[in-house]
Amino acid sequence: MSIPAPIQERADALRELLHHHAHQYYVLDAPAIPDAEYDKLFRELQQLEEQYPALRTPDSPTQRVGGKPLEGFAKVRHRVPMLSIRTETDIEATGARNFDARVRREMGLKEGDPPVDYVAELKFDGLAISLRYERGVLVQAATRGDGEIGEDVTQNIRTIGQIPLTLSRARERAGGRAAVPPVLEVRGEVYMRRDDFERLNELQREKIARGAKNEKTFVNPRNAAAGAVRQLDPGIARQRPLSFYAYGWGEIEGGPAFATHYEVLQALKAWGFPVSDRTVLARGADELVAYHQAVGRDRDGLPFDIDGVVYKVDDLALQKQLGFVTREPRWAVAHKFPAQEQLTTVESIDVYVGRTGKLTPVARLVPVFVGGVTVTNATLHNEDEVHRKDVRIGDTVIVRRAGDVIPEVVAVVPERRVAGAPVFSMPAQCPVCGSAAVREEGEADHRCTGGLFCSAQRKHAILHFAQRRAMDIEGLGEKLVDQLVETGVIRVLPDLYRLGLQGLVALERMGEKSAQNLLAALEQSKSTTLPRFLYGLGIRHVGESTARDLARHFGRLDPIMDAGVEQLLQVPDVGPVVAESIHAFFAQPHNREVIEQLRACGMHWEEGAPAVEAPRALAGKTVVLTGTLPTLSRDEAKEMLEAAGAKVAGSVSKKTDFVVAGAEAGSKLDKARELGVTVLDEDGLRQLLAGA
């Protein structure tokens, strides 16, 4: 079956979106969208792939379970994959009845046949963990990771008192009825109780009040628990109060035979693992509905956060018969609760300036308890969103923790509005540095144009300036930049070149040798190239390729700084948006002053006459690099292609002209073959460039 172009493009876009948000959620612990929105996108892609099987690629999120393991921990391959389960978000009875109907249909049951037995349990809002016991001793603990490979967090898990380190007394507790298997993998959830979370945040606030550096309060119990489990220092993990509930198992070798899921849970309980007393047997859809309603009524009174309930077919033989579909078992489903909502009042609308200069309106709220935490502010995203919802200072608003994670203003209660409440408008100047705040055509966001001067962007500007592809200042990492900025040593970029040995040595974890190496790297960075310097300035929309084009076209920095939009549009591949961004950046006196100070500190590069632009043979061609080439690094290959006029893209599509594939090329190579895109090795790349 041929795939319509709009369907192919939508599937490609969904894959990219889901990969991005999975990385945000699982690797960075910084979710950008609610769980419900992710599930909606996932289901849309799943439905498209079911309708058009040829869309299903090996790297599709539907072929995976979760995100990637974090760097810094040893990787653990799960003997039995830690699969995620299907999510139902329908309210009230629908989700439970839909699941029961699917199970009965798969089993061939008809109306009047006996009801199916289920286990109903809480869906904890924590971090999934697999505990491996050999001969009754805990030998390894691992996170879910991507379902196949997780992270070894054994040392941190050992700090949780509820998790037994040995099961030597388990047989005695079980009354001799259930011997511990020689190999036992227990699956469960690490979480933080609400009272423990509040005490932890209180301690954090006390530390901050005493002037402790690098300390912060935690957003919610789930993030606090996940952060503790992923601490590289077990000593820090031990200071954070964590709890655990067991709800399943992975590999089991030897030991007793079980007929039902509930029997296994009772055995786990007998072997010393905490199993929730809210886990029950439920017969048929009616009892699942009753369980969902009862837990929903009690939710706010629970000592920990949950975001739904889980239903599982009890009979293990039936579980095996039902099997799996793609990444999910047919015999289980998670039934989420609707996001919780509360009324509160908008005390003010402040504008927050992010590290990249984005201006975000934030509603400051009268504190309200929603979804297990006290909410004091909610993002309003951008000016259009504020106007769409018509949020004003003094308004009574409905606040929801969408997906139980991100607080949002759902709607205004207009009948409670105070007469004369003013309409919100974004400021014309950055509230931090006073530089012009602009909104580019076609963009929803306003941005500060004082990138080199604005204190809100200071850390980001320094790290971007120092990176390998810009000034390449070795030794100037994120932690050191944090110290330099937070102690006031660096206020603007030129302060980097005013650092002294004694001042550096006085910083935490900075020895004399490291300080000398950093000063040497700073001195070396003064001799650079105009493209590197332009890229290092962090001008919005100006990447390495555009920086090279600007340097080639103008030859010198001053003409670039003084160029009008029309002149900038003469540069190849510079369109109206990029030209406006460059012009706005150099129109800010603050930015020009910083550049002059950098020059005064000794930064220099070779300048020349404007280049006579000759047509480049690969202009208009799109190339994708994948795998490891024998002699060229990815950056070297990219630079050679861009010098010949090619655009180097990150994903393969019908618009791709060539794919350059090296060793261990993955899904991009498969996609190229599927689409009939020309594939080159390194020799083919060199021949292509030689012909160019």
Side-chain angles (χ1 to χ4, degrees), residues 199-217:
R199 280 193 292 269
L200 175 63
N201 261 353
E202 185 59 34
L203 288 173
Q204 293 300 108
R205 284 188 283 269
E206 290 174 7
K207 290 179 183 178
I208 294 168
R210 292 196 300 267
K213 297 177 181 178
N214 302 320
E215 295 290 350
K216 63 177 183 179
T217 56

Side-chain angles (χ1 to χ4, degrees), residues 67 139 163 202 272 282 302 332 403 417 431 435 517 521 530 533 548 552:
V139 296
I163 294 177
E202 185 59 34
L302 293 172
R417 172 167 289 162
S435 299
N517 290 340
L530 181 53
F533 183 76
R548 282 194 293 271
R552 185 184 296 114

Side-chain angles (χ1 to χ4, degrees), residues 66 95 101-102 120 173 244 336 367 396 421 427 431 522 534 577 590 635 647:
R102 284 198 302 270
R173 281 195 298 269
F244 175 80
K336 286 198 171 184
T396 297
L522 284 163
L534 284 169
V577 171
H590 298 317
D635 287 343
K647 174 186 176 183

